[in-house]
Amino acid sequence: MKKDTVPLKKIDSVFSLKKDSVLLKKKDTISLDTIKPKETIEDIITHVAKDYTIQDAKNKTVTLYNEANITYTDIDLKAGIIIVDYIKNTLFAKGIKDSTGYAQRPIFKQGNEETEQDSIIYNFKSKRALIYGLKTKQGEMFTYGEKTKRVNDSTIYVRKIRFTTSEKDNPDYYIATDKAKIVPGKKIIVGTSNLVLADIPTPVFLPFAYFPITTTSTSGFLIPAFDTGSSDRGIGFQNGGYYFAINDYVDLGITGDAYSNGSWGFRANSNYNKRYRFSGSFNFSFENNISGIRGFSTYSKANNYNIRWSHNQDQKASPNSRFTASVNLGSSKFFRESQNQFNVAQTQTNTFNSSINYSKTFVGTPFNLNVTAQHQQNTNTEQITMTLPALTLNMNRIYPFAGKNGVKKNPIQKMGFNYTLDGKYLINTTDDDFFTAKMFETARAGMQHKTGTNTNFKAFTHFTVSPSINYEETWQFDYIQKKYDATNNVIVTDTLSGFKSYREFNTGVSMSTNIYGTFNINKGRLKAIRHTFRPSVSYSYRPDFEVKYLKQVQASNDPSDLEEYTVFDQGIYGGPSSGLSNSIGITLNNVLEAKVAPKDPDSDEEDEKITLLNNLNFSSSYNIAADSLRWSNVSFSAGTRLFKDKLAINLSGSLDPYKVVASSTGSPIKIDEFNPNIFRLTNASLTANYSISSTDFGKDKDGDKNQNARDPNNAADVIGADINPTDRFGQGNNSPNTNKKDKDKKTQLYNADIPWSINLAYSTNYNNNGLDGGEIGIHSLVFSGNVELSPKWKMGYSSGYDFKGGAFTFSRFNFTRDLDSWQFNFNWVPFGTNSSYTFFIGVKSSILADLKWDKNKPPDRTLF
């Protein structure tokens, strides 16, 4: 131990002391470089200037003038004048005064953060800065401050500060406060604040404020909208709650309503998205609505709910399988009684539909699988039908007799076979029994196998003959049994579990050809008309399969009063086909086209082909096996598109060749006698859709003509956007600034174009039972469109007129004003059972989404 302690003490006390006191002192007098402490400037400072650079060796300063620029580590500073002091380890930057004013204001950039200011002093050693006239952007938020102290890279203190999301040099609005703390990329915390509009202070004050400015979603409270009694619910609030930013893939919003009369509501909304995999959204709503006062006859209470789920799989996730979902189910009266839903499209729709689908293709085989869960709900009758699930296995057509390399020349080689397996578990229930055990009591299950083959060959050169044969086998896992109850004089039907099956087949042959005729006209630009005629004759045969399964049950006290039935009658696929079918079918298809010369006869353009008549079709059949009424009705359809495909007209109907007489009860019945007028028009329907817009009369600035023209074969959006107060923009899909072109549009006060569009949909139908004479059923014209009154003002409308009822149909108007950093929306349903309005004005930015004023008057809800 002595050996360890003694030498070490000598080294510490003597050797080191000499080195500290003597050697360093000598070096200090000889060379300043050898005693220089650790540099506070950690990297090379690169500097440039347009006019001049002055280096003061005595004071160790560098002055840069006009378009000065300094780069140091991750700092990039541009200004009119920059002065670097190497003794104080500071730099000073400011702008230049010229004839235009104060120019070349310093722009300080460090990492992803960038600020603009009047002047700045920055210390390389402490990383602190003193800034005057600050302008910086954190996310969507612009910050203006008179005096700013940057403590470090993570904390900034500002005096006399203004916050805004307006991108203008003179902001539309701002929130003014005396002092604030900024944590770049995370948050802004301010004290007492005042809202200023167009440089005019408002009476709106906040004791404090917190603004998250992270690039990712942040959890936080959702400010409710207060209702001061626009309905019999009393006063209350709507859509208050909390937003959970769970992670980068999924979020959750919980909101609720509460009113003084006891009504309340709850909603859960979630969105999820995983890139290259899947995306979707889930929404659940529940409302407890109370009307009237408890104890009075007008008091009523209703609980309604709605579930919506949308799921979409990315095509890149799995090329051979796909899973999708579109669910909309709940109480049939949810949208009609809801106090916080203005989904007008749903109130005008009588059905809810849902589908969850999984499909898979088995690579290398002709098979593909499809599994679907479906839901259909009639909101008027409250009847619900579900298949849980429906399974379909398909085999694509195969050609087992094809020649080498798949060559198919003769009828045997062209013979193809297909197969389909269809299985269902069907549930029929009502709103009251939904989600209860009772809904499964009447469930039905079954499977059906279908296979068939066909081929074709040429006959008489111009005719194509196509024979076919099809086979079906049906399995049912439940069946019915009927018996007569003499006590109550009724037929009792029992549903029993058990396997039952039946088989069917049919065969047929068809022959078709194409006949072309050209009529040369050569008048004006019209050169010729071409008529394409496609006649087809078919023969089909199917035996009577029902007869072998028929059973009889006594129907009344009379033993001879018997009723026939089969055990399959209430099954999913019904019973076997009844009656012998031995029929001949006739189909006639026509197409008319015109050949038109170009407008300029000297041009090299080819003749233009124009379709005059897309189709004119007639079809009927003759049943050889029937003892009477062998001819079926003649069905016809016609369609054309005019005015450069902007007007689509479709006509369809049915013609009856037989007479009609009144039965003993007064109802019409057919007799086996031909109508003296050859045919009687039993029903017909006519629809026409037309779309036109301002772009049809000229080219837009990009030279694209009519790029937004609506397909005339699709019905116009006559309902319009949804009014939904849960959407902070108050107008559903018409969210502002979704189009960059619209966002960058400049306002023209004079000679401005006024874009507009009109969509028209006309429909009527006719019915004639042969006794009472024909009558018009539906006869209405609906119209919708948009008018852009100015680049900032837009108006949309949708309405219609019922000619038969002599009244306007559902009408709706919406007005939108782009206020740059703000958005104004007003949606109005002026009359009818859904008479309502919503008013919204608020900041577009999501950071200040709660800076808004919205007011709504819901429709007068009646609790059924």
Side-chain angles (χ1 to χ4, degrees):
M1 292 298 291
K2 289 181 180 179
K3 189 176 180 180
D4 290 339
T5 57
V6 173
L8 287 174
K9 280 185 180 180
K10 288 181 180 180
I11 291 172
D12 289 340
S13 59
V14 178
F15 206 84
S16 295
L17 187 60
K18 288 181 179 180
K19 186 175 181 181
D20 290 342
S21 59
V22 178
L23 294 179
L24 287 180
K25 215 173 226 186
K26 288 181 180 180
K27 284 185 179 181
D28 198 36
T29 58
I30 297 171
S31 175
L32 289 173
D33 294 336
T34 56
I35 63 162
K36 187 176 181 179
K38 184 180 178 181
E39 294 283 355
T40 56
I41 298 178
E42 301 171 354
D43 200 354
I44 296 174
I45 299 177
T46 303
H47 52 77
V48 294
K50 183 178 180 180
D51 283 2
Y52 60 78
T53 300
I54 300 176
Q55 296 187 6
D56 187 340
K58 180 180 180 181
N59 297 317
K60 292 188 177 181
T61 62
V62 177
T63 302
L64 312 173
Y65 185 81
N66 196 11
E67 297 184 10
N69 180 211
I70 280 184
T71 56
Y72 167 69
T73 62
D74 62 340
I75 295 174
D76 186 351
L77 176 63
K78 297 178 182 179
I81 301 174
I82 300 178
I83 302 173
V84 183
D85 190 326
Y86 286 97
I87 296 177
K88 297 180 180 179
N89 297 314
T90 63
L91 64 81
F92 170 72
K94 64 178 182 178
I96 297 175
K97 290 184 178 180
D98 57 17
S99 59
T100 61
Y102 192 64
Q104 298 189 39
R105 288 160 52 92
I107 298 176
F108 184 86
K109 185 176 182 181
Q110 184 172 20
N112 295 325
E113 302 297 327
E114 182 175 326
T115 63
E116 182 180 344
Q117 45 270 314
D118 292 338
S119 62
I120 179 173
I121 301 174
Y122 179 77
N123 189 296
F124 293 104
K125 183 177 181 179
S126 64
K127 308 292 185 183
R128 296 184 177 186
L130 192 60
I131 302 169
Y132 295 90
L134 172 71
K135 178 185 177 182
T136 183
K137 184 179 182 182
Q138 300 285 333
E140 297 178 87
M141 184 78 76
F142 289 92
T143 303
Y144 301 86
E146 289 187 7
K147 185 178 180 180
T148 303
K149 183 178 181 181
R150 185 186 180 111
V151 178
N152 48 49
D153 291 344
S154 61
T155 307
I156 299 174
Y157 294 97
V158 189
R159 289 282 185 181
K160 300 295 182 180
I161 190 170
R162 296 176 295 160
F163 298 102
T164 183
T165 58
S166 175
E167 298 181 1
K168 295 180 179 180
D169 293 334
N170 185 20
D172 300 325
Y173 79 102
Y174 56 86
I175 297 174
T177 185
D178 287 335
K179 56 184 178 179
K181 177 182 178 180
I182 302 175
V183 180
K186 292 184 178 180
K187 59 188 175 182
I188 300 176
I189 304 172
V190 302
T192 304
S193 307
N194 176 224
L195 176 63
V196 179
L197 300 176
D199 293 328
I200 300 175
T202 69
V204 179
F205 284 87
L206 292 174
F208 64 90
Y210 173 89
F211 306 115
I213 53 175
T214 58
T215 56
T216 58
S217 299
T218 305
S219 300
F221 289 98
L222 301 175
I223 307 300
F226 290 93
D227 193 333
T228 56
S230 61
S231 67
D232 58 359
R233 294 168 295 171
I235 60 173
F237 66 86
Q238 288 184 329
N239 307 316
Y242 196 84
Y243 174 80
F244 298 90
I246 299 174
N247 53 42
D248 292 338
Y249 306 106
V250 62
D251 64 359
L252 175 65
I254 303 295
T255 57
D257 312 330
Y259 281 87
S260 58
N261 77 332
S263 297
W264 59 274
F266 168 81
R267 279 170 300 283
N269 305 308
S270 178
N271 297 282
Y272 56 90
N273 188 351
K274 190 168 185 181
R275 185 178 295 181
Y276 307 126
R277 299 290 294 176
F278 54 78
S279 62
S281 62
F282 178 83
N283 303 278
F284 172 75
S285 300
F286 181 87
E287 292 187 6
N288 176 52
N289 294 322
I290 296 175
S291 178
I293 301 174
R294 189 184 298 273
F296 288 82
S297 59
T298 56
Y299 176 83
S300 60
K301 179 180 178 181
N303 292 330
N304 294 310
Y305 68 94
N306 181 256
I307 299 172
R308 281 169 288 170
W309 176 37
S310 175
H311 178 90
N312 187 44
Q313 177 181 307
D314 194 296
Q315 293 181 353
K316 303 181 186 68
S318 178
N320 299 315
S321 63
R322 186 170 179 82
F323 177 80
T324 59
S326 177
V327 175
N328 182 14
L329 60 85
S331 304
S332 295
K333 299 168 184 173
F334 177 79
F335 290 100
R336 298 175 186 173
E337 295 183 352
S338 173
Q339 301 288 356
N340 196 18
Q341 287 289 331
F342 294 77
N343 194 323
V344 181
Q346 289 287 3
T347 63
Q348 303 299 302
T349 302
N350 298 325
T351 58
F352 289 166
N353 293 287
S354 304
S355 177
I356 302 174
N357 182 76
Y358 172 77
S359 59
K360 181 174 179 61
T361 300
F362 298 94
V363 180
T365 73
F367 293 96
N368 58 81
L369 177 70
N370 193 72
V371 181
T372 305
Q374 292 182 324
H375 153 267
Q376 296 87 32
Q377 182 174 349
N378 189 307
T379 59
N380 289 334
T381 63
E382 299 187 5
Q383 295 293 316
I384 300 174
T385 301
M386 294 184 294
T387 52
L388 301 174
L391 181 147
T392 303
L393 177 66
N394 287 307
M395 182 187 76
N396 297 330
R397 190 173 298 278
I398 60 173
Y399 299 89
F401 307 114
K404 251 183 198 181
N405 299 322
V407 175
K408 297 183 282 291
K409 292 184 177 180
N410 56 56
I412 299 299
Q413 292 177 337
K414 293 179 181 179
M415 186 177 293
F417 294 83
N418 65 325
Y419 169 76
T420 301
L421 166 65
D422 182 76
K424 292 179 183 178
Y425 183 76
L426 182 66
I427 298 174
N428 287 302
T429 185
T430 62
D431 260 19
D432 295 335
D433 297 333
F434 198 37
F435 289 134
T436 65
K438 192 175 180 179
M439 65 182 283
F440 297 98
E441 294 179 0
T442 57
R444 300 286 184 267
M447 299 182 73
Q448 193 171 65
H449 308 264
K450 294 182 179 181
T451 186
T453 181
N454 61 16
T455 187
N456 64 81
F457 58 89
K458 288 289 185 180
F460 309 110
T461 307
H462 302 292
F463 293 90
T464 300
V465 179
S466 303
S468 65
I469 184 169
N470 299 288
Y471 173 82
E472 293 182 7
E473 182 168 330
T474 302
W475 298 351
Q476 291 191 179
F477 302 104
D478 45 66
Y479 61 95
I480 64 170
Q481 187 172 7
K482 294 185 177 183
K483 61 183 179 180
Y484 175 65
D485 184 354
T487 305
N488 298 312
N489 191 26
V490 294
I491 297 176
V492 178
T493 302
D494 295 325
T495 302
L496 307 175
S497 297
F499 178 79
K500 297 287 183 181
S501 66
Y502 64 87
R503 282 147 289 279
E504 294 183 302
F505 72 88
N506 64 77
T507 184
V509 62
S510 66
M511 183 171 65
S512 61
T513 188
N514 292 335
I515 301 173
Y516 302 97
T518 302
F519 305 92
N520 295 317
I521 297 176
N522 292 321
K523 288 186 178 181
R525 292 180 57 204
L526 181 61
K527 300 181 69 174
I529 292 179
R530 184 182 186 185
H531 177 209
T532 303
F533 179 50
R534 298 187 179 96
S536 175
V537 179
S538 62
Y539 169 77
S540 64
Y541 174 80
R542 188 205 66 225
D544 184 359
F545 292 100
E546 184 186 52
V547 64
K548 64 180 291 188
Y549 299 103
L550 283 176
K551 292 188 175 184
Q552 294 182 335
V553 61
Q554 186 176 332
S556 65
N557 293 327
D558 183 1
S560 61
D561 183 12
L562 301 177
E563 181 181 299
E564 293 182 337
Y565 77 98
T566 70
V567 296
F568 306 102
D569 285 348
Q570 295 184 10
I572 295 178
Y573 304 101
S577 301
S578 61
L580 172 65
S581 176
N582 187 17
S583 63
I584 299 173
I586 301 173
T587 301
L588 306 175
N589 296 335
N590 299 269
V591 176
L592 282 179
E593 297 171 308
K595 183 184 287 187
V596 179
K599 293 182 179 180
D600 185 2
D602 298 327
S603 67
D604 295 332
E605 296 181 9
E606 296 183 354
D607 294 339
E608 182 181 1
K609 183 189 293 184
I610 298 175
T611 302
L612 300 178
L613 198 60
N614 284 347
N615 62 80
L616 176 60
N617 304 328
F618 297 90
S619 62
S620 184
S621 63
Y622 181 81
N623 191 351
I624 302 172
D627 56 358
S628 62
L629 304 174
R630 293 180 176 179
W631 283 101
S632 67
N633 285 0
V634 178
S635 299
F636 65 89
S637 63
T640 187
R641 299 171 68 175
L642 305 173
F643 306 117
K644 297 183 179 181
D645 292 341
K646 290 191 170 297
L647 173 63
I649 302 175
N650 293 284
L651 173 68
S652 63
S654 178
L655 302 170
D656 191 349
Y658 294 103
K659 282 184 178 181
V660 173
V661 298
S663 66
S664 58
T665 59
S667 59
I669 58 172
K670 289 185 182 181
I671 60 174
D672 196 16
E673 291 184 23
F674 288 112
N675 194 312
N677 297 323
I678 304 179
F679 290 109
R680 174 178 55 88
L681 181 62
T682 59
N683 63 79
S685 64
L686 173 66
T687 61
N689 295 299
Y690 183 70
S691 297
I692 189 172
S693 66
S694 56
T695 56
D696 297 325
F697 299 93
K699 295 185 178 180
D700 59 17
K701 294 180 181 180
D702 297 327
D704 297 328
K705 185 175 181 179
N706 196 22
Q707 61 183 3
N708 297 321
R710 181 185 295 275
D711 183 353
N713 286 324
N714 294 329
D717 182 14
V718 296
I719 299 300
D722 295 331
I723 304 177
N724 187 355
T726 61
D727 179 355
R728 65 185 185 86
F729 290 113
Q731 62 169 16
N733 296 328
N734 295 337
S735 298
N737 289 340
T738 56
N739 190 320
K740 187 180 185 301
K741 183 178 176 182
D742 291 340
K743 182 177 179 180
D744 297 336
K745 186 182 296 183
K746 294 183 179 179
T747 304
Q748 297 180 6
L749 298 180
Y750 303 100
N751 298 323
D753 295 331
I754 301 180
W756 54 269
S757 65
I758 298 176
N759 305 304
L760 302 173
Y762 173 80
S763 63
T764 183
N765 64 22
Y766 170 85
N767 294 283
N768 185 358
N769 62 8
L771 291 180
D772 303 327
E775 66 173 357
I776 299 294
I778 298 173
H779 190 202
S780 63
L781 174 69
V782 292
F783 51 88
S784 64
N786 295 279
V787 178
E788 192 168 328
L789 303 174
S790 74
K792 300 289 185 178
W793 267 108
K794 294 181 181 180
M795 183 189 78
Y797 58 91
S798 60
S799 186
Y801 189 78
D802 183 355
F803 295 99
K804 184 179 179 180
F808 282 95
T809 60
F810 175 80
S811 300
R812 179 171 184 175
F813 302 90
N814 59 78
F815 303 88
T816 301
R817 169 66 178 176
D818 185 355
L819 299 170
D820 295 327
S821 53
W822 291 62
Q823 182 74 19
F824 162 78
N825 299 312
F826 179 68
N827 296 272
W828 180 37
V829 179
F831 51 81
T833 56
N834 288 288
S835 174
S836 57
Y837 71 82
T838 63
F839 171 87
F840 171 89
I841 185 169
V843 176
K844 294 178 183 177
S845 171
S846 58
I847 295 178
L848 297 177
D850 294 321
L851 188 56
K852 63 180 180 179
W853 178 38
D854 52 2
K855 179 71 175 177
N856 65 79
K857 178 210 174 283
D860 294 330
R861 304 299 193 187
T862 301
L863 305 185
F864 299 94

